[in-house]
Amino acid sequence: SQQGEEDPQALSIQEGENATMNCSYKTSINNLQWYRQNSGRGLVHLILIRSNEREKHSGRLRVTLDTSKKSSSLLITASRAADTASYFCATDPYNNNDMRFGAGTRLTVKP
Amino acid sequence: NAGVMQNPRHLVRRRGQEARLRCSPMKGHSHVYWYRQLPEEGLKFMVYLQKENIIDESGMPKERFSAEFPKEGPSILRIQQVVRGDSAAYFCASSPLGQEETQYFGPGTRLLVL
């Protein structure tokens, strides 16, 4: 089942711009994860943020987590054409072991 | 339309035994992906299969692990001679032909190796 909801569903930007994607969820979580999927390939894990963390960085990626609003954002700075992909958030709920995935944001970075 | 089904949901094995994990994709889906998740970590891609064909197995350990998706029946992830480090949750996902960017996940199989 899919719980996390990403918005926007699709995002198109120019190379060099920043891209921000948001994710909302419904239940208490242990952690939240962001993944990328290039067309026709499996998911690639990008970053995991725990429920007691508010912000995390990895290279050009910055993830924030607001557990009071049950939302997270993924910021990709200085985007490149190679960042074109679908981005998914997934939540690891607190009271069971079922991971929940959203429908994803399709990011297109134009050269 | 039932979602992706995995069985068993929980599997306990002793070291050296074999583990077989099954994944039935959604009806009409011809692509299956397998992922492994260690505790407190993200999913790690293992293998991507079409019916009777392995498309990408770049995430599969070279030894003891194999996967198949036969023409009929579920996809099987097989782990031979399990070791404690194989304890993890194994998720499969399926997608329809032509929409590989949309993956529908199963509930996972939690493997515990004693």
Side-chain angles (χ1 to χ4, degrees), chain A residues 35-98:
Chain A
Y35 293 83
R36 182 179 75 194
Q37 184 191 22
N38 289 79
S39 181
R41 309 296 297 270
L43 294 176
V44 173
H45 180 242
L46 295 176
I47 200 163
L48 180 152
I49 186 165
R50 291 187 169 76
S51 60
N52 61 352
E53 297 175 309
R54 291 296 164 257
E55 190 170 308
K56 207 158 180 182
H57 297 254
S58 176
R60 293 183 296 111
L61 305 181
R62 175 177 161 245
V63 167
T64 62
L65 179 64
D66 186 335
T67 51
S68 66
K69 294 181 181 175
K70 291 188 168 57
S71 67
S72 172
S73 67
L74 170 67
L75 167 68
I76 304 174
T77 59
S79 63
R80 304 167 183 167
D83 295 330
T84 294
S86 290
Y87 291 82
F88 295 83
C89 74
T91 53
D92 198 347
Y94 178 71
N95 58 354
N96 68 59
N97 291 322
D98 289 339

